């Protein structure tokens, strides 16, 4: 069931279930989609800043070129959602379940992914500011040639089979686990605070750790090739299991 009320200046939406809807170029600022089930629908070039999709289910929804700044996806389920070139500044994804979404050229700044479950997220060739991963699970994802600046990875977050090739990681990275991840040509620099981490069965090829104090780090079963630890304190680093150094 869905209701759409339109007058000259205001659009008020109360959606529960709808599909195959085209709302291209509408002004839906601060609209309420809480708990809605939205499928196979288009919000291309739509103004959705401050809109709330909390606890909604979105499948095959297209937000290309839309303004979703400050939008709230808390507790939502997102499957095959297209955020291509969307403004997601300040959007919240706390507790969301996110599968196979498109993030190409989307603007990600100050986004909260706390307690989210993320599968197959792909970000390439960009600088991303202040992403928050607290108690977050990330699977089979790619952060290729990205600068992750000022963010937080903390509180039992877990990254599985995730590729950070050519990326620069800075910010707070602590109390988390990286399982079978790739850090080839990846850099950790003095802007990072790195502690209480498990890098299990990870690959470090031509990676750099520069001007750091690594506190309570375990590289269990990880492989290192031409990796440098420059001006980095390794006193509290544990290297266990069958590690490989080349």
């Amino acid at each position: 069931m869905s209701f759409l009320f339109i007058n000259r200046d205001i659009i008020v939406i109360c959606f529960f279930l709808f599909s195959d809807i085209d709302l291209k170029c509408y002004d839906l600022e601060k609209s309420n989609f809480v708990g809605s089930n939205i499928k196979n629908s288009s919000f291309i070039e739509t103004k959705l800043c401050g809109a709330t999709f909390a606890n909604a289910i979105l499948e095959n929804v297209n937000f290309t070129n839309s303004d979703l700044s400050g939008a709230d996806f808390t507790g939502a389920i997102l499957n095959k959602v297209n955020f291509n070139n969307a403004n997601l500044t300040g959007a919240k994804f706390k507790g969301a379940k996110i599968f196979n979404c498109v993030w190409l050229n989307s603007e990600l700044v100050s986004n909260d992914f706390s307690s989210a479950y993320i599968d197959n997220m792909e970000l390439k060739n960009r600088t991303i500011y202040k992403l928050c991963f607290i108690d977050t699970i990330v699977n089979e994802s790619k952060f290729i040639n990205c600068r992750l600046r000022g963010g937080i990875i903390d509180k039992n977050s877990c990254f599985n089979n995730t590729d950070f090739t050519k990326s620069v990681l800075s910010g707070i990275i602590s109390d988390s686990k990286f399982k079978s991840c790739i850090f080839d040509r990846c850099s950790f620099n003095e802007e990072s605070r790195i502690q209480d981490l498990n890098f299990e069965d990870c690959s470090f090829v031509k990676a750099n750790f520069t001007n750091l104090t690594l506190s309570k780090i375990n590289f269990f079963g990880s492989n290192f090739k031409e990796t440098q630890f420059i001006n980095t304190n390794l006193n509290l680093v544990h290297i266990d299991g069958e590690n490989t150094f080349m």
Side-chain angles (χ1 to χ4, degrees), residues 138-170:
V138 180
N139 293 323
E140 304 288 345
S141 294
K142 295 181 179 180
F143 298 84
I144 306 297
N145 196 29
C146 291
R147 296 182 65 87
L148 303 174
R149 305 194 65 176
I152 299 174
I153 299 175
D154 202 0
K155 303 296 183 185
N156 298 313
S157 289
C158 186
F159 289 76
N160 299 302
N161 297 302
T162 295
D163 190 346
F164 293 92
T165 295
K166 293 185 179 180
S167 288
V168 178
L169 278 67
S170 62

Side-chain angles (χ1 to χ4, degrees), residues 63-110:
F63 290 111
T64 296
N65 295 323
S66 290
D67 185 355
L68 287 155
S69 55
D72 187 358
F73 293 91
T74 297
I77 299 174
L78 294 84
N79 185 26
K80 298 180 180 178
V81 174
N82 189 345
F83 292 113
N84 180 28
N85 206 39
N87 181 1
L88 291 164
T89 301
K92 302 179 185 68
F93 296 89
K94 189 172 183 179
K97 293 179 174 61
I98 303 169
F99 305 93
N100 305 308
C101 293
V102 176
W103 307 87
L104 182 66
N105 298 321
S106 58
E107 189 170 353
L108 291 167
V109 180
S110 299

Side-chain angles (χ1 to χ4, degrees), residues 222-241:
S222 292
N223 298 319
F224 298 86
K225 182 179 180 180
E226 298 181 49
T227 292
Q228 299 183 62
F229 295 87
I230 302 169
N231 296 325
T232 294
N233 188 335
L234 300 175
N235 290 338
L236 294 175
V237 171
H238 301 282
I239 302 177
D240 300 314

